[in-house]
Amino acid sequence: MDSYAPESDLVPWPPKVAVLSLRTGKVRPLAGVKITSAINKQPRRGRVRLTKLGFADDERQYPPHQSPDNAIHQYDPGHYERWAAELPDRENKFVVGAFGENISTRHLSESNVCVGDKFRLGDAVVQVTMTRQPCYKLNHRFEHKKMSSLVQATGRTGWLYRVLQEGWVEEGAEMELLERINPAWPLSRLQHILYTDRNNAEALAQLISLPGLSSELVGVFEKRLEEGAEDMNGRLQGDVAMLWRSYTLIEKTPLTPRVQKFVFALADESVGADELHFGPVPHVRIKFGPDSKFTRAYSVVSGDMNRFELGVARDDNSRGGSLYLHDSLGVGDQVKVVKGHTSGNKWGVDQYLHAKRHVFILGGIGVTAFLGEIRTLLKECIHLEIHYAVRSMSDAAYLDELPRAQTTVYAKSEGQRLRVRSIIPSLEDNSDPNVVIYCCGPTGLIEETRNITKELGYPRSHVHFEEFGGAATGTGDPFEIEIAASGKLLQVPQEKSLLQVLNEAGFDIDSSCLAGNCGACMVEYCKGEVVHQGVALDDEQKSTSMLSCVSRGKGRITVKC
């Protein structure tokens, strides 16, 4: 812990300050892992209503965090400089808003703010309830497996408020301490008892009766007096451990003129048995470049998290992934890798072994997405048919992995075309179909397959799409967006994505894959027609949200940022 004030010290009265940043956010996926969070909060322009439950349009995912005692989170912006100095390899991540705070100001910190302090905030009145308890999601946010523990150990946690009087707040609003009811209890001292001197019975008894303290911490301290200090590992590490690991490229072999085989082996600590094997549609996400500033997802051809094989096609229009792998990455080089996940699919081919027909519609390097499923079906001697579209026969990678009798290859160079409508069968019983469709390839192929299966009445559970980037770029017909909060109009030209335009306008939208796979760039829209791309959103989400990296509007749309 950086410091803490003993009971005898006089805590300085902070000066009147101004709100430097006001932010709210919605629950959305965190890139690269199967968890969601509302930590990615965006700046709010103009006045925002503050109610007993917090700022308008601000969400908190974890039910206990939805308590009125957790209405506002504040973080000292001065902490970011210290984080950047201590973790220089993540310096670019330590910017205002990164800890999910609603407000930030100068001259307020854990050392001069006390439990129960009452502040005027704009024309509202708020009261400090507790220090923030860091959780495992910070490990993923900052891509550091011990980040939550570091935050707790340093005391740079931020703190929470309840709202005593509702009102309006905006960036630049004044914030002034009105009343201090617990001058002997700065947040730094509370943290010392909460995290270090955890079984101090005298202090715990005093805290239970401390005016203004959150009911959550009162419950924690009452339980400590009865049972002793609690285990904090669940909160700090969560059910999902930090998954990024270093891998060395040990083999790089051309398979076709455009496709290369890449074999990676684990370079650092061993992988536990619970993380070793892939699930359905195995794939990994790789960080690229000397600065590891962007990531891409690739299907795994074979192997496990100790050693695995990828097949990657060179894309001349690549945003950096395939070109870097083909042209810059050499045997012996290392990259960071995490076991990937798709847009929430929780299925396995074992669920569908009863089906009479399994139809695979594959385009180009999309063949790699379902090789595992094909192997399983062949082992079970189940009927399947594979339709594989390629530029030319010389481009047909992994053809030797496919059963010759059940595979039809369509080579564009020879005038052959994969006609999706002719190969997807009609259903005799839509409620219990005996056909399962699998599709991976360019966006056009996926969209055609999606439209036809919908038209024929296929249930969603019997149609499986995988798309790991390359086709959707976010460019296309120009359109206009209106920002709901301010009415501001922005033009999205043909050559730019909505994500680019919003970030250039200062809205700081998060992103990761840039291919519509991870959902990190999701924004809400409330008016207008959207052309959806990518696979991270289901049909229900698409009614109110869009992926700003690849999806586009028609004419004018209204978005919430």
Side-chain angles (χ1 to χ4, degrees), residues 30-33 92-93 140 143 242 244 283-289 291-298 318-322 324-325 335-341 468-470 510-520 549:
L30 281 179
V33 287
N92 64 313
K93 297 183 179 296
H140 300 285
E143 297 177 0
M242 201 61 200
W244 288 105
H283 73 282
V284 293
R285 185 171 293 278
I286 299 179
K287 289 185 181 180
F288 288 104
D291 299 323
S292 297
K293 289 186 176 179
F294 61 96
T295 69
R296 297 291 181 267
Y298 295 96
S318 167
R319 296 179 304 281
S322 73
Y324 182 82
L325 283 174
V335 294
K336 291 289 188 179
V337 177
V338 66
K339 186 191 296 185
H341 71 282
F468 299 110
D510 197 12
S511 63
S512 178
C513 72
L514 302 182
N517 303 318
C518 69
C549 70

Side-chain angles (χ1 to χ4, degrees), residues 440-450 467 469-473 515 532-534:
C440 184
T443 299
L445 179 66
I446 288 177
E447 286 305 309
E448 184 179 7
T449 303
R450 179 178 284 116
E467 182 179 12
T473 63
H532 291 285
Q533 301 272 20

Side-chain angles (χ1 to χ4, degrees), residues 113-138:
V113 172
C114 294
V115 177
D117 277 357
K118 297 178 183 179
F119 287 86
R120 178 174 58 82
L121 174 60
D123 58 11
V125 177
V126 298
Q127 183 178 37
V128 176
T129 59
M130 63 181 290
T131 183
R132 178 195 188 176
Q133 293 217 72
C135 76
Y136 68 94
K137 293 185 180 181
L138 294 176

Side-chain angles (χ1 to χ4, degrees), residues 216-495:
E216 177 184 341
L217 284 193
V218 169
V220 168
F221 297 146
E222 286 178 337
K223 191 171 183 180
R224 277 191 193 176
L225 284 172
E226 296 175 2
E227 304 175 7
E230 69 279 6
D231 182 358
M232 297 184 178
N233 287 330
R235 170 171 55 81
L236 295 172
Q237 299 302 323
D239 297 327
V240 186
M242 201 61 200
L243 302 177
W244 288 105
R245 292 187 172 91
S246 294
Y247 284 76
T248 303
L249 179 65
I250 62 173
E251 181 183 345
K252 182 177 180 179
T253 306
L255 298 180
T256 77
R258 294 180 55 252
V259 178
Q260 292 204 63
K261 169 184 175 180
F262 298 84
V263 180
F264 293 90
L266 188 66
D268 52 19
E269 74 274 9
S270 61
V271 176
D274 57 333
E275 297 180 38
L276 181 61
H277 299 291
F278 295 102
V281 194
H283 73 282
V284 293
R285 185 171 293 278
I286 299 179
K287 289 185 181 180
F288 288 104
D291 299 323
S292 297
K293 289 186 176 179
F294 61 96
T295 69
R296 297 291 181 267
Y298 295 96
S299 299
V300 173
V301 173
S302 63
D304 54 33
M305 286 300 289
N306 278 328
R307 175 188 171 114
F308 59 85
E309 175 187 340
L310 306 181
V312 181
R314 179 187 174 88
D315 181 1
D316 294 333
N317 297 316
S318 167
R319 296 179 304 281
S322 73
L323 291 183
Y324 182 82
L325 283 174
H326 278 254
D327 298 346
S328 301
L329 194 69
V331 172
D333 291 342
Q334 289 192 356
V335 294
K336 291 289 188 179
V337 177
V338 66
K339 186 191 296 185
H341 71 282
T342 59
S343 55
N345 291 337
K346 297 181 180 179
W347 64 280
V349 71
D350 291 346
Q351 298 173 243
Y352 302 100
L353 296 182
H354 67 280
K356 294 180 179 179
R357 294 181 67 179
H358 294 257
V359 180
F360 292 83
I361 303 171
L362 310 173
I365 200 60
V367 67
T368 60
F370 293 114
L371 286 175
E373 279 65 28
I374 291 170
R375 294 186 193 111
T376 298
L377 292 171
L378 289 174
K379 187 185 301 182
E380 298 291 332
C381 300
I382 292 174
H383 175 77
L384 69 154
E385 56 189 83
I386 300 168
H387 301 270
Y388 183 16
V390 294
R391 293 185 181 183
S392 65
M393 288 304 297
S394 64
D395 283 326
Y398 294 100
L399 196 55
D400 58 342
E401 297 260 355
L402 306 178
R404 184 169 299 182
Q406 291 116 304
T407 301
T408 304
V409 181
Y410 306 80
K412 185 178 180 181
S413 63
E414 299 179 16
Q416 299 166 345
R417 181 182 174 188
L418 193 164
R419 300 183 184 277
V420 177
R421 187 171 293 277
S422 67
I423 62 177
I424 297 181
S426 298
L427 295 179
E428 297 178 2
D429 182 357
N430 291 11
S431 62
D432 185 23
N434 281 316
V435 183
V436 184
I437 306 295
Y438 310 79
C439 181
C440 184
T443 299
L445 179 66
I446 288 177
E447 286 305 309
E448 184 179 7
T449 303
R450 179 178 284 116
N451 291 338
I452 292 172
T453 53
K454 281 185 177 180
E455 178 185 321
L456 293 175
Y458 275 79
R460 288 181 58 191
S461 60
H462 280 63
V463 185
H464 301 290
F465 298 99
E466 296 300 329
E467 182 179 12
F468 299 110
T473 63
T475 60
D477 292 338
F479 65 103
E480 185 176 61
I481 59 169
E482 178 182 355
I483 307 302
S486 64
K488 182 178 181 180
L489 295 178
L490 298 173
Q491 303 299 320
V492 184
Q494 180 178 4
E495 70 279 5

Side-chain angles (χ1 to χ4, degrees), residues 7 185 199-207 225:
E7 185 175 356
W185 281 101
N199 287 310
N200 185 326
E202 182 181 352
L204 292 176
Q206 186 177 347
L207 282 164
L225 284 172

Side-chain angles (χ1 to χ4, degrees), residues 27 36-39 41 52-55 58-73 99-100 102 129-138 160-162 195 214-217 235:
V27 175
T36 55
S37 172
I39 196 171
K41 300 190 184 299
K52 298 286 186 180
L53 294 178
F55 286 106
D58 191 46
E59 292 183 351
R60 286 160 282 164
Q61 182 178 24
Y62 185 46
H65 291 173
Q66 296 165 11
S67 161
D69 284 353
N70 298 58
I72 308 171
H73 174 222
F99 276 87
N102 296 112
T129 59
M130 63 181 290
T131 183
R132 178 195 188 176
Q133 293 217 72
C135 76
Y136 68 94
K137 293 185 180 181
L138 294 176
L160 302 168
Y161 295 91
R162 67 171 61 91
Y195 303 131
S214 72
S215 58
E216 177 184 341
L217 284 193
R235 170 171 55 81

